[in-house]
Amino acid sequence: MNRVDLARLARLSQAARANPRLRQNENLHAMQDAIHRLLNATEPGTYVQPHRHLNPANTETLAVVAGRGAVLVFDDRGALLERALLAPG
């Protein structure tokens, strides 16, 4: 069992605050697994550059369990398609 509890989330958030990029991830998968699941702690002030997963084409799923964040979705030419504020609840 791979348990995600409040203590684990708190440790990951603490590591993110100590990281110069203000974010930290923790894999919940083995690298050879077909599907990658991970925890991402992002602190205020961090920025994740727009990116795509093309080979193979993959979709990202985000579930916010604490705090909030903005997500921007762009088309292939870089035009903004969607903007969303994510927060629990």
Side-chain angles (χ1 to χ4, degrees), residues 2 4 7 9 14-16 19 29 32 44 46 48 51 54 60-62 64 66 72-75 79 83 85-87:
N2 197 343
V4 177
L9 295 175
Q14 182 178 9
N19 186 319
H29 62 275
Q32 68 271 16
T46 193
V48 179
H51 63 280
L54 294 175
E60 288 194 19
T61 301
L62 302 171
V64 177
L72 305 175
V73 179
F74 300 94
D75 69 13
R83 169 185 339 200
L85 178 63
L86 302 180

